Amino acid sequence: MTVTLLHTAEGHRARFEALRDRIAPGEDLRQEVREDWLERAQAGVTPELDAEIAEAVAAAEGVVICTCTTIGPAAEKAGAIRVDWPMMREAAKIGGPVLLAYGLESTWGPSLALLERALAAEGREAVVHPMPMMRFWPLFEAGETEAFAAVIAGEVRKVIESGREIGCVVLAQVSMAGAAELLGDLSVPVLASPELALRAGLEA
């Protein structure tokens, strides 16, 4: 089984290699990084970018997973699995209210639409509370991934420990996955996308 990952951040490569080694050692994992795609998509996916993404998906080997939430809809249209789809399906099964954390403004729309699609597929409705984390994004861009995970985890913990009614927490972006590892003691599930997506790709 070959799985191809399309990234827009170099930092995701090591995370998915470690995941592969843990859950499916020996599986063929191809990883391509196009950091310019995310930068170009901030103002919306243009027809030119849409065509580039479609060409990359068509040329990739095996199952293709797009790990960028912002360009996820374009990649899905071209035949890729969106990295957050298995996570959103899990969130829909758990039910709400859902705390949806995100680090880029361009992530909010695609993430909410995908969660609503997953809820509809389950025949459920849920209140979705947005949790914007844009002020922390420069940490991730600077490669300070541990600090980024720590501040995201801290903010999520504050909300949950305040007693607010939350059914589950969704960390919208792959870049936030490290925060989930720091929140295993919380009373509600905290969902991150990488492992759920890679398992789905390997089973496809």
Side-chain angles (χ1 to χ4, degrees), residues 26-201:
E27 292 289 352
D28 188 13
L29 199 63
R30 310 289 174 89
Q31 303 197 72
E32 298 180 25
V33 181
R34 288 293 303 270
E35 294 183 339
D36 62 301
W37 282 354
L38 178 57
E39 182 178 345
R40 292 161 59 192
Q42 291 303 297
V45 176
T46 63
E48 291 79 12
L49 179 54
D50 190 75
E52 284 183 41
I53 294 168
E55 184 178 355
V57 172
E61 292 187 51
V63 175
V64 182
I65 301 173
C66 175
T67 67
C68 177
T69 307
T70 298
I71 66 167
E76 182 184 38
K77 185 173 62 176
I81 296 173
R82 290 168 65 168
V83 71
D84 44 352
W85 176 236
M87 174 179 66
M88 295 305 189
R89 292 186 65 188
E90 183 66 21
K93 291 174 183 174
I94 294 170
V98 178
L99 184 65
L100 181 57
Y102 59 101
L104 284 172
E105 189 63 44
S106 60
T107 297
W108 168 248
S111 296
L112 178 62
L114 197 62
L115 177 56
E116 289 177 339
R117 192 168 107 196
L119 286 163
E122 289 291 323
R124 308 179 76 165
E125 295 182 358
V127 173
V128 180
H129 298 293
M131 189 173 189
M133 302 278 201
M134 281 79 83
R135 64 193 182 279
F136 303 129
W137 187 249
L139 287 171
F140 179 75
E141 290 184 312
E144 301 289 339
T145 54
E146 291 186 6
F148 182 66
V151 293
I152 297 296
E155 293 300 303
V156 169
R157 184 177 296 277
K158 286 179 190 175
V159 174
I160 300 304
E161 293 184 347
S162 73
R164 188 172 177 181
E165 183 186 356
I166 298 293
C168 68
V169 178
V170 170
L171 302 175
Q173 292 154 265
V174 169
S175 55
M176 295 178 160
E181 299 165 9
L182 304 175
L183 296 170
D185 61 316
L186 290 185
S187 58
V188 302
V190 179
L191 305 180
S193 60
E195 182 168 343
L196 291 169
L198 187 55
R199 287 186 182 278

Side-chain angles (χ1 to χ4, degrees), residues 1 16-29 198-199 202:
M1 164 72 73
F16 279 92
E17 285 178 350
L19 261 179
R20 184 272 314 277
D21 293 345
R22 179 166 63 81
I23 69 176
E27 292 289 352
D28 188 13
L29 199 63
L198 187 55
R199 287 186 182 278
L202 291 168

